[in-house]
Amino acid sequence: MFEIIKFFANILGYLLNFLYNICGNFGIAIILFTLVTKVLLIPLLIKQQKETKKMAKVQPMLMELQEKYKNDQQKYAEEFARIQRENNFNPFSGCLLSLIQIPIILAMFYMVSNPLTYMKKFDATQIEQLKTQWGIVQNTGRYYPEIEIIKKDANIGIDLNFLGINLGEVPAHNQANLYLAIIPVLSVLVTLFSISQTNRMQKELNKDNPQFEETQNSMKMMNYMLPILSGYIAYQVPLGLGLYWLTSNILQIVQHKYVKYYMKKLEENI
């Protein structure tokens, strides 16, 4: 699993480095990187919303099947396949977007934590030499040696400062500097707002789904836990990852507004 994430980080590192070379600032490069990936994922989001709408319409039929063939799983499977064929829906396609975004998030953590490896393509020998040169010794599990090298070596040429915030800093390591808590706090607030917008959109898409309200009620706790978790993670890791998560959620709100507009226009033209 880790090797797969490293592979993604290595590939996406070329894109992040390309964007950094254009703008010359790590924070702006992360924002541009997030924008590019969000735009590329719009077709998948549209497909996801179409599949959600299809699933909502067939859900009453599926519920009838469950009741009718509750003692005959083979017949249920046959009828389910028939309805799936006739309505052209895939019950698993809604998961595809989430599955794609997970390795991107994890790859971003690797890139932010190890920009010399994944952005600048330094090999392990070069990094070890630089650690020795600057007397950097790993003494804690929450330690990011490549960021320490960048802080000490001006010749590396990576500008980590963004609006007066060093994106290599970890807020939990410097609790006295309240300025560093801005990104984690904003991350909580924006994630909360993003989830509320997503839920509103899903409610509209699932207006024909009798099970939707029950599903939503079971997700209420998660809707509160996810923003808190995002803020906690942004507080515990280099702020570059927090900036990515914050930007991602802001763009997700815009993304959903666009897809909602697109779906409405699509229905009007049918």
Side-chain angles (χ1 to χ4, degrees):
M1 179 64 178
F2 290 112
E3 292 304 316
I4 295 174
I5 301 303
K6 288 179 181 179
F7 172 78
F8 268 96
N10 193 49
I11 298 299
L12 293 175
Y14 286 106
L15 174 60
L16 186 59
N17 190 55
F18 172 75
L19 295 171
Y20 178 83
N21 289 337
I22 292 175
C23 63
N25 182 274
F26 196 50
I28 296 174
I30 289 174
I31 292 172
L32 291 176
F33 174 90
T34 313
L35 178 61
V36 169
T37 55
K38 284 294 183 183
V39 169
L40 292 175
L41 290 174
I42 283 178
L44 282 178
L45 180 58
I46 291 173
K47 181 175 176 60
Q48 182 189 57
Q49 301 308 313
K50 287 180 178 178
E51 292 296 329
T52 299
K53 204 166 184 63
K54 288 179 186 177
M55 280 294 295
K57 287 182 178 179
V58 302
Q59 194 63 43
M61 288 186 280
L62 296 179
M63 290 174 66
E64 285 181 19
L65 285 183
Q66 286 176 337
E67 182 62 29
K68 186 175 181 180
Y69 300 111
K70 59 184 177 182
N71 297 319
D72 190 346
Q73 289 301 309
Q74 183 177 347
K75 186 63 176 176
Y76 171 78
E78 290 173 1
E79 289 298 306
F80 182 93
R82 178 183 62 78
I83 291 175
Q84 184 177 350
R85 250 187 342 265
E86 291 175 354
N87 293 274
N88 190 30
F89 76 91
N90 183 350
F92 303 108
S93 63
C95 303
L96 182 60
L97 186 64
S98 298
L99 291 175
I100 289 175
Q101 290 187 94
I102 289 171
I104 294 176
I105 294 170
L106 295 176
M108 177 55 76
F109 172 71
Y110 274 76
M111 289 188 288
V112 168
S113 305
N114 305 282
L116 299 183
T117 297
Y118 296 106
M119 269 183 65
K120 295 303 180 182
K121 309 303 179 186
F122 284 27
D123 60 37
T125 303
Q126 288 175 288
I127 293 171
E128 285 302 318
Q129 288 174 347
L130 287 167
K131 285 169 64 177
T132 302
Q133 177 184 335
W134 293 103
I136 297 171
V137 180
Q138 184 166 345
N139 55 13
T140 172
R142 299 179 300 170
Y143 175 76
Y144 303 97
E146 293 189 22
I147 290 175
E148 294 302 314
I149 291 171
I150 294 169
K151 288 178 183 178
K152 293 176 181 291
D153 194 335
N155 294 322
I156 295 294
I158 297 181
D159 182 8
L160 294 175
N161 290 307
F162 177 71
L163 300 179
I165 299 175
N166 189 321
L167 296 177
E169 294 289 348
V170 178
H173 296 179
N174 194 354
Q175 298 179 13
N177 188 348
L178 297 180
Y179 193 50
L180 298 180
I182 290 176
I183 288 178
V185 170
L186 286 177
S187 183
V188 172
L189 297 176
V190 172
T191 302
L192 189 61
F193 183 72
S194 176
I195 288 174
S196 70
Q197 293 296 302
T198 301
N199 288 342
R200 190 176 302 171
M201 185 175 182
Q202 290 299 314
K203 186 174 182 179
E204 190 171 322
L205 288 169
N206 284 278
K207 59 186 177 183
D208 299 320
N209 184 352
Q211 286 189 323
F212 180 71
E213 286 299 329
E214 183 181 338
T215 304
Q216 282 295 92
N217 289 335
S218 67
M219 292 290 291
K220 277 185 178 179
M221 183 61 70
M222 183 62 70
N223 291 341
Y224 291 108
M225 289 302 297
L226 187 58
I228 295 171
L229 181 62
S230 70
Y232 175 77
I233 292 173
Y235 189 71
Q236 295 289 337
V237 299
L239 282 170
L241 183 65
L243 178 63
Y244 167 77
W245 187 253
L246 174 61
T247 307
S248 179
N249 278 293
I250 292 172
L251 292 176
Q252 184 167 298
I253 295 168
V254 178
Q255 193 182 46
H256 281 160
K257 292 287 186 184
Y258 168 77
V259 171
K260 183 179 179 181
Y261 171 81
Y262 175 86
M263 296 286 287
K264 186 178 179 180
K265 286 294 181 182
L266 198 64
E267 289 179 358
E268 290 174 356
N269 294 329
I270 294 176

